[in-house]
Structure formats: structure tokens, C-alpha cells
Amino acid sequence: AQSVTQPDIHITVSEGASLELRCNYSYGATPYLFWYVQSPGQGLQLLLKYFSGDTLVQGIKGFEAEFKRSQSSFNLRKPSVHWSDAAEYFCAVGSTDSWGKLQFGAGTQVVVTP
Amino acid sequence: NAGVTQTPKFQVLKTGQSMTLQCAQDMNHEYMSWYRQDPGMGLRLIHYSVGAGITDQGEVPNGYNVSRSTTEDFPLRLLSAAPSQTSVYFCASRRTAIREQYFGPGTRLTVT
């Protein structure tokens, strides 16, 4: 069965520290992957995406993610977090044979402390 | 472009009432979909459409109906609302040839 797992429900990080959010997937077909961010009461904003090619992808707001096929992972990183990065982050997976239907992880809530 | 728009932004219903959540996009996207978001469960696909006149069920379709008479609009109907349908609903769209989906701002629905 296809699945997307974000193991960390909640992460607290100090402002200026590094952040890594984990995402693992189980997909039969060749996947393409996304990270979205949702600020409180807002919609979803695309941070970055991976379709093919270079496995390290750069996104907006200083985020990057690395696709590791051998580990079925697509972890999101930021070297130095800002208070404005406090939000909920979702990993999503789709495939070319699924009409673009996305499967989302449960989300990781990030809290940034001063 | 306005992108993906959703109305209303908030709605409170009583059990058994019906309503339609509106979704429109002005990007000429073929693919449109509805998701619901519940705490700890991420977003789950309700229904989707690959073009006008074509719809199909997603992961959690029960209690919801859709139709797609135009490329621009994809309304979601609740025929008899239940408390279990209390959620935040997101509409999304994309071009068939492009994998990135664009999301609307969401509708927060409470069923009492």
C-alpha cells in the first residue's frame, strides 16, 4: 500500500538553529515529491518539489530537500530557522500513473523559540 | 490571475443540512481536486476531476458529491451534513502535463 510518513508530529527549535524534517514514503511507481508549508489559518504554500534529476533541490525561504531513493526519504532542511518559519509542514507524494493524486503525510508542527 | 478561489471561508451547519462549497480557478487547469484536512491526518483526497464532465472518487468520498460542468468550476456538495464532516476543505488544481498543484485558501466547516 502507498503511504507517506512524517515521523515527527511536533518539533521545537531555537531561532538560528538548524532544522530537519523527515519524510519517508512507500510507493510502487516512480514518485514525485513535494514539501508544503501551512501557516496558522492559511492555505498551503509549495516550498519545493522533486521530479527527477539532481537529488538535492532548493526551494523558497532558504529550504532544501534531498531525495534518497535507497532510503525512500525526502527530508527537508534549513540551516538557520527564523521565527517566521513556525508553521506546519507537509510532505506529499504523487506518481505519474495516479492522475496527479497526491498523498500527504500527517504533518510536522514546528515551533520556534527565541 | 486570481488563482484558485474558494467560498465561503467559514461555514457552520446543523446536522442534516445541505450546502455546496465553491471552487473556481482561472488558470485553465484540467485537473481539479478536493481535499479535507483533519488534525493529525494531513490532507486526504475526497474527489477529483481530470476535465469537464469527468470526475472520480478519492480516498474519502462518502457523504460528498461533485460535478464538473466547466473547466473553471468544481463545486463540492454535502447532501446531509454530519458532525464527522467538520473539517477544513481545500480545493486544488493543476495542468495535466505539470505535476505541481495550486491550492485554494480553504473553507473551514463546522457541523453541529
Side-chain angles (χ1 to χ4, degrees), chain A residues 38 46 49 90 99-100 105-106, chain B residues 31 37 40 42 90 94 100-101:
Chain A
Q38 184 181 34
L46 180 67
K49 58 196 174 192
F90 294 95
W99 283 107
Chain B
Y31 182 95
Q37 181 183 25
F90 288 99
R94 63 180 270 262
E100 178 179 340
Q101 292 199 32

Side-chain angles (χ1 to χ4, degrees), chain A residues 52-70:
Chain A
S52 64
D54 193 347
T55 56
L56 184 63
V57 294
Q58 303 295 322
I60 62 171
K61 304 186 178 187
F63 284 92
E64 66 177 26
E66 185 171 12
F67 172 63
K68 293 186 177 180
R69 186 183 298 275
S70 62

Side-chain angles (χ1 to χ4, degrees), chain A residues 32 34 36 38 41-44 46 49-52 88 90 96 98-107, chain B residues 9 31 35 37 40-45 48 50 57-59 90 94 96 99-105 108:
Chain A
Y32 51 89
F34 303 89
Y36 287 89
Q38 184 181 34
Q42 302 298 312
L44 279 78
L46 180 67
K49 58 196 174 192
Y50 173 79
F51 297 154
S52 64
E88 189 157 22
F90 294 95
T96 54
S98 65
W99 283 107
K101 293 182 287 185
L102 291 183
Q103 186 149 0
F104 283 80
Chain B
K9 193 170 179 63
Y31 182 95
Y35 293 85
Q37 181 183 25
M41 305 192 73
L43 280 74
R44 293 178 293 168
L45 183 65
Y48 66 98
V50 299
Q57 297 180 350
E59 181 184 355
F90 288 99
R94 63 180 270 262
T96 302
R99 300 162 192 170
E100 178 179 340
Q101 292 199 32
Y102 295 83
F103 284 83
R108 184 174 295 274

